[in-house]
């Protein structure tokens, strides 16, 4: 029975990749696999963290620096750039871009709306 509960709490590879990227984005510089393991809470096996970092490197999402066995990792792109790419992919996948944008904008709180207006104003003046 304990096995079933463990299976339900198991995180997907995509979720693990997101957690590891979040840890790398929050860091002041490149991190070792052991440092990433601690940063994501330490409940993941070192081998799991190393495997995910290897996959992220193969996908071009992290740079691996230094010799094998003592490598450090850093993200290729910042969190904001990745989020913007994801937003663009959703927008590109929709049939009615105007409707998608309208629904998105109407869900923004006042601070986010002000930030969006400021970004649009800055883009328009450049």
């Amino acid at each position: 029975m304990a096995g079933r509960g463990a299976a339900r709490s198991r995180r997907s590879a995509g979720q693990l990749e997101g957690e590891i990227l979040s840890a790398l984005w929050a860091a002041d510089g490149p991190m070792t696999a052991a440092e990433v393991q601690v940063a994501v809470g330490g409940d993941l096996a070192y081998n799991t963290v190393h495997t995910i970092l290897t996959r992220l490197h193969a996908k071009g999402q992290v740079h691996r620096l230094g010799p094998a066995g003592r490598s450090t990792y850093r993200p290729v792109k910042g969190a904001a750039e990745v989020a913007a790419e994801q937003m663009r992919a959703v927008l590109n996948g929709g049939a009615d871009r105007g409707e998608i944008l309208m629904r998105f904008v109407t869900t923004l709180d006042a601070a986010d709306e002000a930030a969006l207006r400021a970004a649009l104003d800055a883009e328009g003046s450049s």
Side-chain angles (χ1 to χ4, degrees):
M1 301 246 181
R4 286 189 208 173
R8 275 184 281 213
S9 66
R10 192 171 185 173
R11 293 172 279 199
S12 70
Q15 183 180 0
L16 292 174
E17 287 177 0
E19 290 178 28
I20 287 173
L21 282 170
S22 291
L24 291 170
W25 286 322
D28 292 331
M31 299 175 76
T32 65
E35 291 169 333
V36 172
Q37 180 188 23
V38 170
V40 296
D43 64 328
L44 295 175
Y46 173 86
N47 288 343
T48 301
V49 172
H50 188 265
T51 297
I52 298 296
L53 285 166
T54 300
R55 288 181 186 161
L56 289 169
H57 179 259
K59 292 178 177 182
Q61 293 181 304
V62 298
H63 288 296
R64 181 172 36 216
L65 312 164
R70 292 188 308 215
S71 299
T72 58
Y73 300 85
R74 68 175 175 81
V76 170
K77 298 176 182 177
E81 186 176 1
V82 171
E85 288 174 356
Q86 291 170 340
M87 292 169 70
R88 169 64 66 192
V90 169
L91 185 60
N92 287 343
D96 187 342
R97 296 168 70 92
E99 180 70 15
I100 293 168
L101 288 169
M102 181 59 68
R103 288 183 180 269
F104 174 73
V105 169
T106 59
T107 65
L108 297 176
D109 64 22
D112 288 340
E113 184 178 341
L116 178 58
R117 285 185 190 282
L120 291 171
D121 290 343
E123 182 64 25
S125 66
S126 54

